[in-house]
Amino acid sequence: MGDYSSYFLMKPEEVPDYVQAKLHFFPEGAKLSGQEIGDGNINYVFRVADRDSGKSIIVKQAGPTTRIEPDLGVSRDRGRIEAEILKLQSNFAPGLVPEIYLYDEVMCAMIMEDMVGHTMMRTGLLQHETYPEFAEDLTTFMAGCLIRTSDLVMDHKEKKELVKAFTNPDLCGITEDLVLMEPYTDCFHRNHVYPPNEEFIQKEVYGDQALCLEAAKLKFNFMNNPQALIHGDLHTGSIFINQEHTFVFDPEFAFFGPMGYDIGNMVMNLFFAWCNGEAEMEEGRKREDFLDWCMDTIADTVDLFVQKYDRVFDAYVTEPMAKMPGFKSWYLSGILADTAGYAGTEGLRRIHGMANVKDITSIEDVGKRTRAERIVVSFAKDCILNRNSFICGADYVAAIERAVRKHS
Ligand code: ADP
Ligand code: MG
């Protein structure tokens, strides 16, 4: 197996030699250790570290079962697509995604930057940590990756090639079902409704025809609007963070879709953190600071995105028709309505869809969890039904306050 000319799944202790064979990252003869750190069942994630220099690197390899499965082509391609997307995103948002050093089609492995010193953001938020630079970093990432892969900036032929290359039917199918259908229909009986909220969900969601119609429109917009290369699963579990810096990773759901899907998902996941803090933290200064930070970050996510949209538009847009007076704000208003709409769909699907979030499910007190869920549902519905009137951060803050008042 010495030359890596055919696939085998590496054992942790075999990964250092692999890295040495493939890459000049560590000095020759370095004393390297290999350790498995991933928790996934599809991919194996290894860390290779040099004890002397303290430097480390990550190897992510697809497991053998995905190779034996008949859908091998898709699975193997996924790693390649993930590596390519991270490279593309690093062009538009330098430093905000882990760097890819190499993708190896034979070994189905990628060698990438270790996000050392960073914590998964959802984990940090559950400990009620705050991150002062986050809204700035996130909006830099989004403004760069979204606007610059849209027809506003990218050459139309280049963009169409990328639309083809990053068509992602399997993963989009998951979103179309789990996010944009089942929370309204429960057609596959996969929803997880918290028992104390069964009647509430019945009435407020399944039984609300106006809501279901708007969700249907949002689903079709998701399927038929290749606006920009979106991350597709942008939430606090796809972010590694510390006080100074942010990494966005795990873009396996990426495809050309509506920009507002990414922005809205982030907004709602920040609100889940607020709900957790509100339910779980003791009264006092720390609680107030955490809740204020969540709220400010929600508002800043929207407002800073708008600011950066303006800047990126002025700096990069060359498309003659996009320069027509009035076009810039018309285009933005579409992004902002989508942002609210998909913030709403994310809110509902995480409350009673199949994949729930720890921010809410870890609230042990029945009354507090029931209430938190209802607040999210009311806010989410507001976002979906009135999505055209969410045009700045303050609109989100006001809607949250309305939802909280409704359930106090
Ligand atoms: P999968 O595709 O199997 O879900 P992920 O990319 O989500 O794999 O990685 C699984 C876990 O491995 C992450 O949650 C993280 O803890 C760790 N990990 C992955 N990539 C890196 C990296 N570049 N640096 C540090 N840790 C990483
Ligand atoms: Mg993952």
Side-chain angles (χ1 to χ4, degrees):
M1 42 175 82
D3 61 355
Y4 311 104
S5 59
S6 60
Y7 173 88
F8 67 97
L9 176 63
M10 289 182 279
K11 297 194 185 72
E13 61 274 16
E14 293 171 323
V15 187
D17 283 348
Y18 174 73
V19 172
Q20 290 297 63
K22 290 287 176 185
L23 213 64
H24 295 289
F25 183 79
F26 298 109
E28 242 173 84
K31 289 194 220 82
L32 302 180
S33 64
Q35 189 196 353
E36 198 193 333
I37 60 160
D39 40 18
N41 33 18
I42 306 172
N43 297 296
Y44 292 78
V45 180
F46 304 100
R47 171 174 285 135
V48 174
D50 178 352
R51 272 163 270 186
D52 293 333
S53 69
K55 275 173 68 176
S56 58
I57 205 166
I58 296 289
V59 177
K60 184 169 163 178
Q61 186 181 25
T65 51
T66 60
R67 288 181 46 83
I68 296 159
E69 295 284 317
D71 68 345
L72 165 68
V74 173
S75 298
R76 180 191 273 166
D77 218 31
R78 234 191 253 171
R80 182 188 59 78
I81 288 177
E82 185 175 341
E84 279 177 16
I85 287 173
L86 286 168
K87 280 187 198 160
L88 230 149
Q89 289 173 333
S90 78
N91 289 338
F92 297 125
L96 295 174
V97 296
E99 193 178 335
I100 298 295
Y101 301 120
L102 179 133
Y103 181 72
D104 174 348
E105 303 223 356
V106 174
M107 291 291 281
C108 301
M110 72 180 104
I111 309 183
M112 68 198 293
E113 181 177 1
D114 190 356
M115 300 184 286
V116 73
H118 294 63
T119 311
M120 185 184 284
M121 191 177 186
R122 196 181 305 281
T123 308
L125 292 174
L126 281 166
Q127 292 159 1
H128 306 126
E129 196 63 63
T130 60
Y131 301 98
E133 302 303 321
F134 178 65
E136 202 61 70
D137 286 346
L138 173 73
T139 52
T140 299
F141 173 83
M142 294 192 305
C145 294
L146 299 176
I147 301 164
R148 290 180 63 189
T149 57
S150 75
D151 286 302
L152 292 176
V153 179
M154 195 169 265
D155 169 74
H156 71 108
K157 280 192 178 161
E158 185 186 353
K159 184 196 166 225
K160 287 178 182 84
E161 285 303 317
L162 290 180
V163 171
K164 272 199 273 180
F166 295 127
T167 294
N168 194 350
D170 294 344
L171 283 292
C172 284
I174 294 177
T175 303
E176 288 156 24
D177 289 352
L178 291 183
V179 182
L180 300 168
M181 178 169 69
E182 292 174 50
Y184 308 90
T185 62
D186 200 21
C187 49
F188 300 138
H189 309 293
R190 296 194 291 187
N191 286 350
H192 291 146
V193 183
Y194 187 50
N197 276 332
E198 229 153 75
E199 245 175 79
F200 181 81
I201 296 296
Q202 183 63 47
K203 173 168 174 286
E204 292 291 325
V205 183
Y206 303 149
D208 187 337
Q209 295 214 332
L211 176 73
C212 293
L213 171 60
E214 294 314 309
K217 294 179 192 171
L218 287 163
K219 178 174 183 174
F220 273 67
N221 182 53
F222 181 85
M223 297 166 85
N224 296 286
N225 183 3
Q227 189 176 37
L229 182 62
I230 70 171
H231 180 282
D233 194 27
L234 194 53
H235 58 81
T236 52
S238 312
I239 289 167
F240 266 55
I241 193 165
N242 61 31
Q243 290 300 303
E244 291 90 37
H245 181 255
T246 308
F247 275 124
V248 178
F249 84 121
D250 212 4
E252 61 188 342
F253 281 79
F255 79 112
F256 275 79
M259 300 186 196
Y261 190 78
D262 278 355
I263 314 167
N265 276 0
M266 262 328 302
V267 164
M268 190 52 77
N269 278 273
L270 289 164
F271 185 56
F272 298 146
W274 183 94
C275 291
N276 183 279
E278 208 249 357
E280 299 285 71
M281 293 177 83
E282 281 171 31
E283 292 289 332
R285 180 66 191 273
K286 189 163 184 291
R287 181 177 190 270
E288 270 165 46
D289 287 349
F290 180 75
L291 297 181
D292 286 349
W293 177 83
C294 291
M295 208 64 105
D296 290 347
T297 305
I298 289 169
D300 288 348
T301 295
V302 178
D303 293 338
L304 293 175
F305 179 82
V306 170
Q307 268 181 33
K308 290 175 192 182
Y309 168 85
D310 230 50
R311 258 186 261 153
V312 175
F313 194 105
D314 293 343
Y316 291 102
V317 172
T318 52
E319 215 287 330
M321 293 304 279
K323 289 181 161 181
M324 288 292 171
F327 183 87
K328 183 161 96 172
S329 63
W330 171 80
Y331 194 88
L332 177 64
S333 61
I335 298 172
L336 292 174
D338 286 349
T339 297
Y342 295 116
T345 56
E346 176 71 358
L348 297 178
R349 76 100 167 200
R350 295 293 196 181
I351 292 301
H352 70 280
M354 191 176 89
N356 316 112
V357 282
K358 212 171 167 191
D359 314 53
I360 303 294
T361 58
S362 67
I363 302 173
E364 279 182 19
D365 182 277
V366 176
K368 286 183 177 170
R369 176 167 167 191
T370 304
R371 175 171 171 274
E373 291 196 354
R374 291 181 185 197
I375 291 172
V376 173
V377 169
S378 293
F379 172 47
K381 286 182 64 173
D382 198 349
C383 288
I384 292 172
L385 290 167
N386 306 305
R387 57 189 180 280
N388 287 308
S389 51
F390 285 77
I391 56 174
C392 66
D395 295 326
Y396 287 85
V397 174
I400 289 168
E401 284 168 356
R402 283 197 295 278
V404 172
R405 250 183 277 127
K406 207 167 167 180
H407 300 288
S408 45

